[in-house]
Amino acid sequence: MTTSAQVYYRKWRPGTFSDLAGQEHVGNTLRQAVTQGRVSHSYLFCGTRGSGKTTTARVLAKAVNCLNPQQGDPCDECAICVSINEGRNLDIIELDAASNRGVEEIREIRDKVHFQPAQNRRKVYIIDEAHMLTREASNAFLKTLEEPPEHVIFILCTTEADRLLPTILSRCQRYDFRRLPGQTIYDRLAYITDQEAIAIHPDALRMVARNAGGSMRDALNILEQLAVSSDGDITLRHVEESLGLVRSDAYLALAQKLLAGDTTGALETINEVVWEGGEPRQLHRQTLDLLRSMLLLSWDAGQTLDLPDDTLTGLRDIIQKTDSHHILRAVRIWGEASAGLRYDAPSALVLEIAAAEICRQDAPAEPSMAAPAPVSEPSRQPAGGRQPQRPPAPPTQQSGRGQSRQGTAGSSQPPPRQSAPPPPDSRPAPSRSPAAAPDSLQGRWEQAVRQLGRVKGSKYNLGALLRDCRSGSVHLADPAPESGLATLVLPFSNAANLDRMQEELNDPRVRDTIEQAIEQFFGSRHPFQVTLAGANGEGTQPARNSIQDSPLVRTAMGLGARILDEQQEAPKPL
């Protein structure tokens, strides 16, 4: 019978403080404590998974019991060190708090700590996942942890130190283990591949280090999987296939098409990746990393990026043609798509919607923040800055975030709700309103409403309330003498929504947020005024019925719902 081979992360586990990768601040302090004979009775090692907490605990256990220490480091050759490495030392007790988390297990430890060590000078208890101890078990452990016998050392290891009781934290010397940098993991993997005679390309090894998530254990597991599955040299393509990654050029192509506003190309790339078996989550994460890298490069803060040279060259070529504000908007929209992937992981619909929104936001027809076009509406604005009085038109059918069927840019504003129908003899004939041009006053207002659709005020969603202002009724009044800027008049069709907006405007931060959105799309920080349609001749004031005063309806509208139609009982003839 042949014995099973030892896995890499156990075979290449560091045996001394000097061998610890990326945790020099912890190793140097513990080495000095052993040299000076000032070892504490309780330690707390906290950090992310695979950062070396349990390994360091074993090294400390060997160092305090080694028969021939080397300047604080264990010799790794004496009988004590060998027995600890082989896991047969009776005085080194490792417990998993996830499965031994009750009061009874802690009481058993409390009763046994008073027994003298069998073969070592010090008895060491290593408790993994210490945050899994119950509250009762933690309280029963306090006295023993604070004043154990002189021959006992407790080492608590956890990934969630905030879940431990403050009374436990105050009784331990705390050491925080850092997340391992990609370069540190790469150097360690390069050393192990040389010792194991594994032929692997440097780009493939860097891909393994980047996908380890700062965990040396995960990196070694990936490396061993590659070594078993590959017969010859391990290339970058082998790593991508083993990790279920899409080819790296697909991420770069998708990021480029998103920032270029190529909706068709971006959607085709997403569907090709999913059709080839790529995971939407992985596609989202890798593309988001590239967008983040471009954002850092555009702000001259990409010195720490760990990417291949050809990828960095491609990113720099893209940012030369793109404004940093567009990249920031793309990062924000693409990052928000992660919430939808939690509930519908197999589908790429969330990514397709985010891609369409990014491309629409970056469309060249939209006004630039740096050089806004002048705002003027001579054909719609009569003298005096007031709209002519006309009956309200029925809701028109417009496209959402793309283009209308006639080929013109469509508005993303949802169809306005219809007021109470007038008497049959005075009802106007239905008509279809043309889509507002993006550079017109109405088009810019619709873009501002879309921008505010993701902003919540003190109680209500600002975009949901402002959608009640029909774009055809929004206009600029005469300039104010003190500022010289025209006032943007926002006529509300519904009195209840006007009341809610006035309630929101009591908070100065809400008014400032709306003015910032106006400045972004109008080019100037125009003051604005909310009013009721019909009060100044902009339209007919709709009736306010009891349905709009319902608490359930008010709550739904506060969450972004819209009233599409309000039916009123016709007046009875006298």
Side-chain angles (χ1 to χ4, degrees):
M1 295 179 62
T2 59
T3 59
S4 59
Q6 200 172 22
V7 295
Y8 281 178
Y9 74 85
R10 295 184 61 187
K11 179 178 179 181
W12 294 101
R13 187 190 297 270
T16 63
F17 293 121
S18 304
D19 294 338
L20 294 176
Q23 310 298 344
E24 290 79 9
H25 63 294
V26 177
N28 293 336
T29 304
L30 294 178
R31 185 189 299 110
Q32 291 295 329
V34 174
T35 303
Q36 300 175 15
R38 303 181 62 179
V39 178
S40 177
H41 62 273
S42 58
Y43 291 93
L44 174 63
F45 294 166
C46 50
T48 59
R49 73 180 193 279
S51 56
K53 301 182 295 296
T54 306
T55 297
T56 306
R58 293 181 180 179
V59 173
L60 179 59
K62 289 191 296 183
V64 297
N65 291 296
C66 181
L67 301 178
N68 186 25
Q70 306 293 325
Q71 297 180 350
D73 269 331
C75 68
D76 244 3
E77 296 177 355
C78 65
I80 298 296
C81 292
V82 172
S83 64
I84 294 177
N85 289 336
E86 295 177 355
R88 54 182 175 84
N89 193 289
L90 300 178
D91 297 323
I92 308 300
I93 301 98
E94 294 192 29
L95 298 175
D96 180 17
S99 55
N100 300 275
R101 59 195 303 261
V103 178
E104 295 300 327
E105 289 81 0
I106 296 301
R107 287 176 179 172
E108 184 178 355
I109 295 176
R110 185 184 61 187
D111 296 338
K112 290 182 178 181
V113 294
H114 297 284
F115 294 103
Q116 291 293 325
Q119 61 186 111
N120 299 351
R121 289 193 298 266
R122 308 288 290 269
K123 184 183 293 187
V124 181
Y125 286 86
I126 302 174
I127 303 178
D128 273 329
E129 305 298 332
H131 61 273
M132 297 297 292
L133 290 174
T134 63
R135 189 177 188 86
E136 293 76 11
S138 300
N139 288 326
F141 191 39
L142 288 177
K143 190 62 177 178
T144 305
L145 186 64
E146 183 178 13
E147 297 179 358
E150 294 183 359
H151 59 269
V152 172
I153 297 176
F154 288 105
I155 304 177
L156 279 62
C157 304
T158 178
T159 56
E160 302 180 39
D162 56 315
R163 293 178 57 181
L164 291 173
L165 293 180
T167 48
I168 289 204
L169 297 177
S170 64
R171 287 166 168 79
C172 301
Q173 281 192 13
R174 174 169 176 167
Y175 290 86
D176 290 286
F177 285 68
R178 301 168 182 165
R179 180 189 179 98
L180 296 179
Q183 185 63 40
T184 301
I185 298 178
Y186 174 82
D187 294 338
R188 181 66 175 173
L189 294 181
Y191 170 78
I192 294 175
T193 53
D194 290 341
Q195 298 297 317
E196 294 284 343
I198 300 175
I200 182 171
H201 289 231
D203 290 342
L205 203 59
R206 290 196 178 275
M207 177 66 74
V208 173
R210 283 198 299 270
N211 283 271
S215 171
M216 185 68 72
R217 180 170 58 243
D218 291 354
L220 290 174
N221 282 332
I222 297 174
L223 178 62
E224 184 171 13
Q225 180 180 350
L226 292 170
V228 172
S229 61
S230 178
D231 296 333
D233 292 352
I234 302 175
T235 62
L236 180 61
R237 186 59 182 168
H238 290 139
V239 178
E240 293 174 347
E241 292 177 353
S242 178
L243 298 178
L245 303 177
V246 188
R247 61 186 189 279
S248 55
D249 58 338
Y251 305 127
L252 186 61
L254 177 57
Q256 181 179 8
K257 292 172 182 177
L258 289 176
L259 296 178
D262 185 2
T263 308
T264 302
L267 296 179
E268 287 179 350
T269 303
I270 293 174
N271 283 277
E272 287 176 1
V273 169
V274 176
W275 179 258
E276 293 175 0
E279 286 290 336
R281 291 174 183 267
Q282 189 73 21
L283 175 62
H284 174 267
R285 186 173 70 86
Q286 296 290 341
T287 308
L288 184 61
D289 288 343
L290 289 182
L291 292 174
R292 169 185 171 271
S293 300
M294 282 189 282
L295 187 63
L296 295 177
L297 290 173
S298 65
W299 288 338
D300 296 329
Q303 292 79 9
T304 60
L305 293 177
D306 184 17
L307 294 173
D309 294 337
D310 54 344
T311 303
L312 287 174
T313 302
L315 295 182
R316 290 191 175 96
D317 292 341
I318 296 175
I319 63 177
Q320 293 296 330
K321 309 172 185 177
T322 311
D323 187 72
S324 59
H325 295 286
H326 293 170
I327 303 176
L328 178 61
R329 185 185 301 114
V331 170
R332 183 182 297 113
I333 297 175
W334 194 257
E336 291 174 354
S338 61
L341 291 175
R342 299 175 186 174
Y343 307 104
D344 195 11
S347 174
L349 177 61
V350 177
L351 299 183
E352 293 169 347
I353 293 175
E357 186 173 358
I358 292 174
C359 295
R360 175 59 186 165
Q361 289 288 347
D362 289 339
E366 291 194 358
S368 172
M369 295 177 60
V375 180
S376 61
E377 285 289 312
S379 61
R380 294 176 178 265
Q381 286 274 44
R386 298 176 60 182
Q387 295 285 345
Q389 184 174 4
R390 58 180 182 270
T396 59
Q397 296 180 355
Q398 295 180 348
S399 60
R401 292 191 177 272
Q403 294 182 342
S404 63
R405 296 181 179 179
Q406 288 78 8
T408 58
S411 168
S412 68
Q413 180 182 4
R417 61 177 179 275
Q418 189 175 3
S419 60
D425 54 349
S426 61
R427 183 178 301 173
S431 61
R432 184 181 298 273
S433 300
D439 56 347
S440 65
L441 184 143
Q442 286 75 19
R444 297 187 181 195
W445 170 246
E446 292 169 358
Q447 297 168 20
V449 171
R450 286 200 303 269
Q451 180 74 13
L452 293 171
R454 296 187 292 268
V455 179
K456 189 177 186 302
S458 57
K459 292 179 61 177
Y460 307 102
N461 182 282
L462 300 182
L465 292 178
L466 291 174
R467 276 196 293 265
D468 191 50
C469 303
R470 298 182 179 178
S471 58
S473 302
V474 175
H475 62 277
L476 290 172
D478 295 332
E482 59 275 5
S483 62
L485 294 174
T487 301
L488 187 65
V489 181
L490 308 178
F492 276 74
S493 303
N494 185 274
N497 287 336
L498 176 62
D499 294 342
R500 297 185 184 99
M501 178 53 68
Q502 290 175 341
E503 180 181 351
E504 291 288 347
L505 293 179
N506 292 331
D507 187 351
R509 293 175 298 180
V510 174
R511 179 175 290 274
D512 184 68
T513 301
I514 299 176
E515 289 181 351
Q516 288 179 4
I518 294 175
E519 181 181 10
Q520 177 179 352
F521 294 99
F522 284 77
S524 300
R525 199 180 182 94
H526 291 277
F528 66 92
Q529 174 187 358
V530 296
T531 182
L532 187 63
N536 296 323
E538 290 88 358
T540 303
Q541 177 179 352
R544 177 176 179 177
N545 55 33
S546 58
I547 296 179
Q548 299 174 14
D549 293 330
S550 169
L552 181 61
V553 176
R554 290 173 64 91
T555 303
M557 295 184 67
L559 296 175
R562 294 179 290 105
I563 299 178
L564 299 179
D565 191 11
E566 299 178 9
Q567 299 293 337
Q568 287 186 329
E569 185 178 0
K572 298 180 180 180
L574 298 177

